[in-house]
Amino acid sequence: MSKKLIWDVPTRLFHWLLVGSLIAQYLTAEVLENAMQWHFYFGYFTLGLVIFRTLWGFIGSDYAKFSQFIYGPKAVIGYASTLFKRNSKAHAGHNPLGGWVVLLMLLLVLAQAISGLFMTDDIFFDGPWRAAVEDSTLKVMGFIHHNGFDVLLGIIALHIAAIGFYSVYKKQRLAPAMIHGKKDTNEPAITSSKWLAFIIAAAISAGMVYYVVEIAPPEVEEEYYY
Ligand code: HEM
Ligand code: HEM
């Protein structure tokens, strides 16, 4: 076994930017006063991150691809049955169970970001899509936005506990690889971080967010002038 590059730079950058953005979202909504404008901006950025990761799941380097880490039920059950064995097979990329947790986290963040587009702080700020839908839809979006974050926090706690469990119980130290990208493994290394694909995917993601936030929403007539 030797140290090989497994996580490309964009995947690692995505990971730590997502961690930072979610912390910012929590602080701007729950802790800081008068930070709602920043909550919106970071929310749009987080939406961009999830769009980027989705694209990267198709055009990124090998271990970042969905096709590499979304396994069928047989593999998931097989892997789950070895979960508490200390010497279970180490995977270079996400393991069959972890792959689904990754997908779940991405979906929950996406639900949080999309539902945010319909929210209001009841004072100054309305999400860009608020005026476009009926009250019944606003209720559903409000429910998702207020409760989804708690579900997400639960999964994040599980994620961090799992990393700790792998490190202490199975002696598989996963966290450093999310920083420097390298793991001790017999599997093949990736050969590049695909910089051109990265730039294209990042530009498409930014363009999509701009479209969803600035271009597509209906015009709102100003009722008050300050
Ligand atoms: C807000 C908190 C966090 C969120 C939302 C989060 C989310 C994610 C996501 C979405 C992935 C998949 C990465 C990808 O394939 O693109 C991932 C993987 C990973 N995360 Fe986190 N993460 C969080 C905190 C942390 C922390 C604090 C650590 C370090 C202790 C960590 C370590 C890892 C590692 C090591 C992997 C790769 C797991 C593997 O080898 O299969 N994460 N995380
Ligand atoms: C992934 C991105 C996001 C996360 C993690 C997030 C998280 C949160 C959290 C935890 C709260 C507090 C909920 C509560 O008190 O029950 C909140 C409130 C709020 N969020 Fe977000 N949010 C995100 C994106 C957005 C976006 C994109 C917008 C608007 C464009 C938005 C608008 C709001 C508003 C207006 C509130 C205040 C609601 C109220 O006072 O009742 N959020 N958000």
Side-chain angles (χ1 to χ4, degrees):
M1 281 213 288
S2 59
K3 281 239 178 268
K4 299 206 185 111
L5 187 63
I6 297 298
W7 301 121
D8 56 40
V9 175
T11 303
R12 284 179 269 150
L13 201 60
F14 157 79
H15 182 268
W16 296 112
L17 285 175
L18 180 67
V19 173
S21 303
L22 290 181
I23 294 172
Q25 284 310 83
Y26 174 77
L27 292 178
T28 51
E30 305 270 28
V31 179
L32 301 171
E33 300 276 325
N34 299 325
M36 202 29 87
Q37 184 70 76
W38 286 104
H39 187 77
F40 278 35
Y41 290 152
F42 276 113
Y44 302 150
F45 181 69
T46 314
L47 178 62
L49 284 178
V50 182
I51 295 174
F52 168 78
R53 186 60 185 91
T54 308
L55 295 172
W56 204 241
F58 295 100
I59 63 166
S61 68
D62 284 353
Y63 298 102
K65 285 196 176 129
F66 294 127
S67 60
Q68 289 269 331
F69 69 80
I70 299 300
Y71 294 77
K74 230 174 151 181
V76 174
I77 294 167
Y79 183 80
S81 66
T82 67
L83 192 60
F84 293 97
K85 294 213 171 95
R86 282 184 194 267
N87 55 357
S88 67
K89 181 176 182 298
H91 285 256
H94 300 305
N95 69 55
L97 205 55
W100 283 99
V101 178
V102 168
L103 198 65
L104 182 64
M105 281 198 273
L106 292 177
L107 283 173
L108 285 170
V109 177
L110 182 66
Q112 197 69 27
I114 290 180
S115 59
L117 302 175
F118 299 84
M119 300 291 289
T120 178
D121 67 348
D122 290 323
I123 315 169
F124 293 117
F125 297 109
D126 279 356
W129 282 94
R130 189 165 181 85
V133 295
E134 312 254 316
D135 276 359
S136 53
T137 309
L138 293 181
K139 267 203 185 127
V140 175
M141 292 299 174
F143 181 83
I144 295 174
H145 208 73
H146 286 293
N147 297 289
F149 196 68
D150 292 337
V151 180
L152 182 60
L153 280 182
I155 305 287
I156 291 171
L158 187 75
H159 170 60
I160 295 173
I163 307 282
F165 170 75
Y166 272 76
S167 171
V168 174
Y169 187 78
K170 288 175 177 269
K171 304 280 182 269
Q172 292 180 29
R173 296 184 63 234
L174 306 177
M178 249 313 141
I179 299 169
H180 52 54
K182 295 193 178 123
K183 268 187 188 173
D184 262 330
T185 176
N186 290 325
E187 309 278 315
I190 56 167
T191 49
S192 90
S193 283
K194 298 182 114 179
W195 292 103
L196 183 61
F198 171 46
I199 291 167
I200 293 171
I204 294 175
S205 312
M208 283 174 77
V209 172
Y210 187 74
Y211 179 78
V212 167
V213 168
E214 282 293 335
I215 299 180
E219 287 280 327
V220 182
E221 277 185 37
E222 291 287 338
E223 287 174 32
Y224 304 101
Y225 294 92
Y226 299 99

